[in-house]
Amino acid sequence: MLHLTTGRLGSLLSRRAVVALSCSSVKMSTHGHEVSEQADMSLPMYWDRLDTPLPDKPYQDTLTAADKSLKQKEMGPWTNLSKEEKLALYRLMFKATYAEMRKPSSEWKTVMGGIFFFIGVTGLVVLWQRFYMYPPHPQTLDDEWKAKQVKRMLDMRINPVEGFSSNWDYEKGHWK
Amino acid sequence: MFRAALRLSVSGARSLTRSPPQYAAPLAARCYSHGKQETDEEFDARWITYFNKPDIDAWELRKGMNTLIGYDLVPEPKILDAALRACRRLNDLASAIRILEAVKDKSGPHKDIYPYVIQELRPTLTELGIPTPEELGIDKV
């Protein structure tokens, strides 16, 4: 039983992998350069993470001649480097500083705005439904009908001991 | 771990004036009923030895630093000193600055840890010419 299911799963996965491969190749040939390339996960990656300060590779790996000479200077005493050079070396190695990583975004405003917008749209839909889709108003909800209904319940002595009719003063003709 | 946390939360700045606080916690934070628990000093010594390896390579530096930052503690200045010297041997100034940023981030709400660490590391920083993030202006956005 077990090897049957694994076999089936294996064939399913292989089929899906082939489909994905063919799909991506078709996309690459017809669409040209799309939004962003997929990162090659088999190579060392760069990341900005608070809990992992040193990523696998520097941010800038293609160095200009100026960068290369700066890197040469880095091999000597760092006291010879100016503040700008030190900053440049940092920016070559890393994309965002810790402060930039921690910077709050205004994404929450977009999210809340979107939420309220769609609630509003829903409200409009409900309003339209109320005018164009609701069935006619039932007469049993009119005040006049409800008064007659209450009178009938009192006349029938509904729950006279502790319930409905017990609250009506039959002698005086009003609610207790 | 709890000992260090209690000391940090209760005494706060006062503990700084009394003695250099041990911000490192024992490595074996699991509750062994038996088995040796590594002391703070052993933990520190182990990490200092790691970073003091003369021919340390870039991968080992990154691995060591990322692992160390992964622990629930702020590393002792002497461990960081060894790490900064390892950066020097690898000619990597950017990583040295990154390490300082990471230490400040690790301190979290305890704002007195980072100035203490910088104060302890100041001789090394001037000797090697490593600027603090504040000196470069990258501590603010």
Side-chain angles (χ1 to χ4, degrees), chain A:
Chain A
M1 167 99 172
L2 191 68
H3 67 257
L4 248 171
T5 49
T6 50
R8 194 158 290 164
L9 189 67
S11 67
L12 205 83
L13 280 172
S14 63
R15 223 182 305 137
R16 198 173 292 159
V18 163
V19 165
L21 257 153
S22 59
C23 243
S24 63
S25 62
V26 162
K27 191 157 72 161
M28 276 167 67
S29 59
T30 55
H31 290 195
H33 298 290
E34 279 280 294
V35 193
S36 62
E37 327 89 55
Q38 251 185 321
D40 188 348
M41 302 286 284
S42 64
L43 296 172
M45 291 177 68
Y46 178 79
W47 59 70
D48 278 318
R49 282 188 66 113
L50 293 171
D51 58 6
T52 323
L54 304 176
D56 285 341
K57 76 175 196 37
Y59 178 53
Q60 302 281 14
D61 20 18
T62 46
L63 300 174
T64 67
D67 296 335
K68 285 193 186 132
S69 68
L70 190 60
K71 279 284 181 191
Q72 275 296 113
K73 206 174 168 191
E74 198 185 9
M75 297 199 191
W78 293 337
T79 41
N80 292 349
L81 295 163
S82 72
K83 208 189 273 194
E84 290 76 24
E85 286 174 328
K86 290 177 184 174
L87 193 58
L89 282 167
Y90 183 91
R91 287 292 180 188
L92 278 177
M93 193 73 131
F94 301 110
K95 180 166 175 256
T97 68
Y98 265 66
E100 285 160 7
M101 272 193 257
R102 281 195 162 272
K103 189 175 66 165
S105 74
S106 295
E107 191 189 359
W108 68 273
K109 294 177 194 163
T110 314
V111 170
M112 290 310 287
I115 290 171
F116 290 137
F117 175 76
F118 282 110
I119 291 175
V121 166
T122 310
L124 285 173
V125 169
V126 169
L127 196 66
W128 179 88
Q129 284 179 335
R130 184 238 172 281
F131 284 109
Y132 288 97
M133 298 205 58
Y134 279 19
H137 192 262
Q139 57 174 329
T140 50
L141 293 178
D142 295 334
D143 287 332
E144 196 191 317
W145 184 285
K146 286 204 282 197
K148 288 197 229 164
Q149 186 172 316
V150 165
K151 174 93 178 56
R152 185 155 179 275
M153 283 168 77
L154 290 171
D155 293 342
M156 287 200 287
R157 303 293 198 271
I158 297 292
N159 295 335
V161 181
E162 287 205 16
F164 191 75
S165 305
S166 66
N167 296 321
W168 179 260
D169 191 340
Y170 283 96
E171 265 110 66
K172 303 226 185 87
H174 57 69
W175 293 106
K176 286 186 189 162

Side-chain angles (χ1 to χ4, degrees), chain B residues 42-81:
Chain B
E42 284 168 353
F43 176 86
D44 294 345
R46 200 160 51 81
W47 276 102
I48 294 170
T49 316
Y50 179 90
F51 285 118
N52 275 346
K53 195 170 107 147
D55 55 348
I56 194 171
D57 67 31
W59 184 92
E60 286 174 351
L61 171 70
R62 289 197 306 269
K63 173 69 180 166
M65 220 43 240
N66 292 337
T67 311
L68 192 59
I69 294 296
Y71 292 149
D72 182 20
L73 52 85
V74 180
E76 279 279 330
K78 38 188 200 282
I79 305 176
L80 297 167
D81 176 78

